[in-house]
Amino acid sequence: MDSSHVEHDLVNVLFTEAQIHDRLGEMAQQISADYEGHDLLMVGVLRGAVMVMADLSRAMPGHLEMDWMAVTSYGSGTKSSGVVRILKDLDTDISGRHVLIVDEIIDTGLTLSWLVNNLSSRRPASVEIATLLRKPEALQMPVEPKYVGWDIPNEFVVGYGLDYKERYRNLRDIGTLAPHVYS
């Protein structure tokens, strides 16, 4: 879906599809160089990271493996509840593996902080985070991603996997959702 289809629902477009693809390509090159000679397992956080994971993995020049987890701390609202639940666990044994968690956004950090601790307890060789977006002003837990596409203001954003009540995920751009949509 193009942003022109929902232009009245958006305050502005932060990043276009082309900008997103360019940035993910840059991140893929950096990740590939950092993990050269290592067996990398990318773990996507469902559902929001689907677009990021797909495009980031396609931009990677070498082999990698993928698995998925579904965790939630949001429910259907716009703010994190702070309670993390696993909805789908990994199918892969990660002991001794280099794990790169791929997510679309770091907001409060509660979910990713919990996820890093959970995966670290499974004895991987390493656990790092790659995220397309980070909201530094919203952080409530210390989370140190190794790879960040962009830092953004503490606004409610949608598109490219980010949703509001399961809508806007298929928006090709990332934009700030207008308050009239969710108030």
Side-chain angles (χ1 to χ4, degrees):
M1 173 171 56
D2 187 82
S3 57
S4 66
H5 295 121
V6 292
E7 64 186 325
H8 298 295
D9 293 353
L10 301 177
V11 174
N12 63 337
V13 172
L14 294 173
F15 304 104
T16 65
E17 180 180 22
Q19 290 172 311
I20 295 166
H21 283 239
D22 288 348
R23 185 64 186 121
L24 288 174
E26 294 167 359
M27 291 171 66
Q29 292 302 316
Q30 185 180 2
I31 292 165
S32 181
D34 290 350
Y35 286 95
E36 186 174 351
H38 295 284
D39 185 23
L40 179 61
L41 173 66
M42 291 174 60
V43 173
V45 182
L46 292 171
R47 292 178 215 155
V50 168
M51 308 299 186
V52 175
M53 181 86 149
D55 289 341
L56 182 62
S57 65
R58 284 193 294 246
M60 298 284 289
H63 294 288
L64 56 88
E65 291 181 46
M66 291 186 269
D67 202 344
W68 297 91
M69 283 189 81
V71 295
T72 185
S73 67
Y74 279 85
S76 61
T78 60
K79 301 251 188 252
S80 175
S81 68
V83 176
V84 180
R85 295 182 310 137
I86 294 179
L87 304 175
K88 185 229 175 276
D89 207 344
L90 294 175
D91 296 322
T92 308
D93 177 7
I94 65 170
S95 59
R97 303 287 305 270
H98 292 281
V99 175
L100 181 63
I101 300 168
V102 178
D103 208 352
E104 80 282 15
I105 192 166
I106 298 175
D107 198 331
T108 63
L110 295 170
T111 303
L112 274 177
S113 174
W114 181 91
L115 188 55
V116 166
N117 288 333
N118 180 283
L119 295 181
S120 295
S121 73
R122 303 180 193 194
R123 300 181 319 276
S126 66
V127 176
E128 298 291 350
I129 300 168
T131 185
L132 184 59
L133 304 173
R134 173 177 59 184
K135 295 181 182 179
E137 296 167 12
L139 280 176
Q140 296 176 16
M141 292 291 291
V143 175
E144 295 296 327
K146 189 168 184 178
Y147 310 98
V148 178
W150 293 284
D151 284 335
I152 63 169
N154 189 15
E155 298 173 341
F156 195 83
V157 293
V158 294
Y160 202 74
L162 295 153
D163 75 300
Y164 173 64
K165 293 187 176 181
E166 295 304 320
R167 299 183 69 186
Y168 306 98
R169 285 194 197 276
N170 62 325
L171 179 61
R172 291 185 195 106
D173 304 323
I174 295 173
T176 305
L177 191 62
H180 74 82
V181 176
Y182 59 87
S183 26

